[in-house]
Amino acid sequence: MIKKLTLTLVAFLAVVIGFLTIAPSEMSFDDAGYNSKNVLEHLQVIADKPHSVTDYEAHEEVRQYILNVSKGFVGEENVRERNYLTPSNKNPTDGIEYVGADLVEANEIDCEYDIRNVLACLNGKSETGVLLVAHYDSRGNIKRYGELAKSYGAGDDGYGVATLLELMRYFSERKDALENSVYFLFTDSEEPNMYGSLLESKNTELMNKVNLVINVEARGMNGAVYMFETSLKNNKVIKLFRKAESPVTYSVAPAVYSVMTNYTDFTNFLAAGKNGLNFSTLNDINDYHVPSDCYANVNTATVQHYGEQLLPIVEEYVSDTVYSDMNYFDGTHDAVFFNFLPEVFVSYSSVTAVVLAVCVLLALTALIVVGALKKQFDFKSWGKYIGFVLIGLAIAVAVGMVVSLVTARLNGYPWSLVNVRSACSDWILVLTAGAIFAVLHFAAKHLLRSDGLRMFNFAAVTVQAILNLIVAIALSGASFLFLIPALAGVIYLAAEQFVKNVWGKRTVAYLSLFCIVCIFVPLIFSLQYALTVGGLAALTALAYFPFSVLLPMLYGEIREGKAQKKPEEAENGTSSGRLGL
């Protein structure tokens, strides 16, 4: 009972610390830094009315506000209206100067409204600069189930626009110290077709000055701000990102995004060959593209978290002449990175990921060879338990998929990987994963004999180690998902084989429990925010992998106490009974 209680407390502590890792920041009202009060004042104006591309008057009011505030910060001479007239435009405006007719024609752009971007510049000693991007149009039409449209755009993308305006204020007060330039682009028409960013990505005059793009988005109103996408070969970009305070990111997101179709302004700049970072809130999709995306639901801690991450990054960029090189951010490889503890950001290269994967697999092979030589390794049981591990994975995926489909049906939505909305998403994830774990625990308790516990451990680690190597080669950013459980499992098996003191193996078990829970629980919840309940099958699979490695460790720890009551069984490591808890 004491051991169970201790394990529970360790797991609880790991969950709490894990969630603190992805908690947003407290507000600041200090103009010496990023002042959230200024951001909130901007948001009150921006989110006063729905202002989509077809809400002509409100849309123009927001544009005029951005123009006036920008001119006040950087000077009228440093603000340009980038207005594009489209062939089918139904709302041409007298007195507006249109540009880029050749770009509109060359890219075959046509819609019933014109596209009105705003570009502001803070000139540094070098014209090479970072481009900060946010779109100011709100969602105005229904494209997917669950989206009521007529969003006020407080989060999407008032958060981004207001963040850029506050960064503009901050750096305009320090413009004499800028080594490199900062370009602020407020794009139009992102919601229906991303035409505003597409046209500027083709604007060679601007693109020839920009070597880094930072896009600021929002998908929900609450929680941490995630850096969720990067350019390819991102090692140089991630080196700059490390300057962020309270960074929140997992390289599995950029890795998956790199092979998926995605829809933000950042996409167009990536297609233009630019390096950069993409930031967004992820929680809660129920306030995304709907009327509740309004000022009343603004989260002040989330607002602050944008500044906590972005201001140090931009400050580093503008203060060092090394970034004046247009090719500086052209990297050689991708980075693997994740949050571990609050303020602890782990990153290493994709090359290192492959080396680690090979080392873990070799270490596991060595343990198998040593066991075989000592006649302590049963290859038949090993193969059987690998099958059990894979069956458990199939069950986890199947249950997750069924719950996902049922949730979509009950809420009246067609199933979608990233757009099944539910007010109870967190509880659905917890209860589904909990039910799967309970079933697997019950099955192991009644089917797994104590003499097979070690082989089950070998089987689970084998699956992890093989997947780790495959993913490290094919999709390196996601490799840490398999490296961490595989490494913990190998260390535990080595301690079990070579460390005679019971506290050696016990320490590994407790540390493995803490580290795996601390990393995976906030990660899985973060991915649930991004994927919604539609991605539940992937989420349950992701939860199952580390659980399959932890399960025999924790059984072994609890069994140790029972074995001590039967020294003759503990000595030879066998029992005719089944494992009980």
Side-chain angles (χ1 to χ4, degrees), residues 4-21:
K4 291 181 181 180
L5 180 61
T6 303
L7 290 169
T8 301
L9 290 174
V10 170
F12 178 77
L13 178 64
V15 169
V16 172
I17 293 176
F19 277 114
L20 287 176
T21 302

Side-chain angles (χ1 to χ4, degrees), residues 176-347:
D176 293 337
L178 302 184
E179 293 292 339
N180 304 305
S181 299
V182 187
Y183 300 95
F184 300 86
L185 177 62
F186 303 91
T187 63
D188 191 10
S189 190
E190 190 271 354
E191 292 293 354
N193 42 44
M194 303 186 298
Y195 280 167
S197 59
L198 174 61
L199 287 164
E200 297 308 329
S201 72
K202 306 295 185 180
N203 176 6
T204 55
E205 180 185 359
L206 174 62
M207 291 296 99
N208 288 340
K209 299 175 184 177
V210 170
N211 66 353
L212 182 71
V213 177
I214 297 178
N215 189 55
V216 189
E217 261 286 359
R219 188 175 184 265
M221 306 289 287
N222 304 309
V225 177
Y226 292 78
M227 192 284 287
F228 71 99
E229 186 180 13
T230 71
S231 46
L232 297 177
K233 296 185 178 180
N234 59 22
N235 60 301
K236 290 284 192 72
V237 173
I238 294 302
K239 182 179 179 182
L240 177 63
F241 173 75
R242 291 185 68 93
K243 299 294 181 180
E245 293 182 15
S246 304
V248 178
T249 185
Y250 299 94
S251 58
V252 61
V256 172
Y257 249 77
S258 69
V259 295
M260 287 178 63
T261 302
N262 43 76
Y263 305 99
T264 70
D265 280 338
F266 192 62
T267 307
N268 287 323
F269 294 105
L270 287 181
K274 294 301 174 182
N275 295 299
L277 302 162
N278 205 356
F279 290 83
S280 181
T281 56
L282 296 177
N283 188 20
D284 159 359
I285 193 176
N286 296 303
D287 291 327
Y288 178 59
H289 288 174
V290 293
S292 60
D293 181 357
C294 62
Y295 185 79
N297 290 324
V298 166
N299 186 305
T300 55
T302 298
V303 165
Q304 181 66 29
H305 198 213
Y306 277 102
E308 292 287 334
Q309 296 193 78
L310 288 168
L311 191 146
I313 293 172
V314 180
E315 196 156 40
E316 166 66 16
Y317 179 95
V318 300
S319 63
D320 196 330
T321 57
V322 69
Y323 304 115
S324 301
D325 180 0
M326 280 294 293
N327 299 316
Y328 176 80
F329 291 102
D330 294 342
T332 56
H333 56 271
D334 284 320
V336 181
F337 47 87
F338 55 91
N339 290 96
F340 177 32
L341 301 170
E343 305 298 331
V344 177
F345 176 64
V346 179
S347 68

Side-chain angles (χ1 to χ4, degrees), residues 343-416:
E343 305 298 331
V344 177
F345 176 64
V346 179
S347 68
Y348 50 90
S349 73
S350 56
V351 176
T352 301
V354 174
V355 171
L356 289 171
V358 171
C359 289
V360 167
L361 198 54
L362 288 175
L364 176 63
T365 303
L367 289 171
I368 292 173
V369 170
V370 170
L373 291 174
K374 292 183 176 181
K375 302 188 182 303
Q376 296 176 346
F377 192 89
D378 185 343
F379 284 94
K380 185 177 180 180
S381 293
W382 179 50
K384 178 181 71 175
Y385 286 124
I386 287 177
F388 285 176
V389 170
L390 296 178
I391 290 171
L393 173 62
I395 292 171
V397 171
V399 171
M401 192 69 233
V402 169
V403 173
S404 174
L405 291 168
V406 170
T407 302
R409 184 64 179 267
L410 290 176
N411 284 280
Y413 306 139
W415 181 85
S416 165

Side-chain angles (χ1 to χ4, degrees), residues 18 24 43 45 87 111 140 152 218 322 338 353 428 431 438 443 474 489 556 569 577:
L43 284 173
V45 178
C111 47
Y152 287 77
V322 69
F338 55 91
I428 291 172
L431 293 175
E569 291 183 9

Side-chain angles (χ1 to χ4, degrees), residues 93-154:
T93 304
D94 293 336
I96 285 186
E97 179 183 353
Y98 289 101
V99 300
D102 56 331
L103 295 179
V104 173
E105 182 178 359
N107 292 281
E108 300 181 344
I109 290 176
D110 192 18
C111 47
E112 296 182 350
Y113 41 84
D114 54 6
I115 299 161
R116 303 178 180 183
N117 296 335
V118 175
L119 177 64
C121 177
L122 274 171
N123 294 303
K125 296 173 185 175
S126 168
E127 69 175 8
T128 301
V130 56
L131 179 66
L132 305 181
V133 183
H135 70 89
Y136 71 90
D137 62 310
S138 66
R139 187 68 153 193
N141 59 335
I142 299 172
K143 284 195 172 182
R144 290 176 291 199
Y145 282 83
E147 296 184 354
L148 301 178
K150 286 300 177 184
S151 162
Y152 287 77

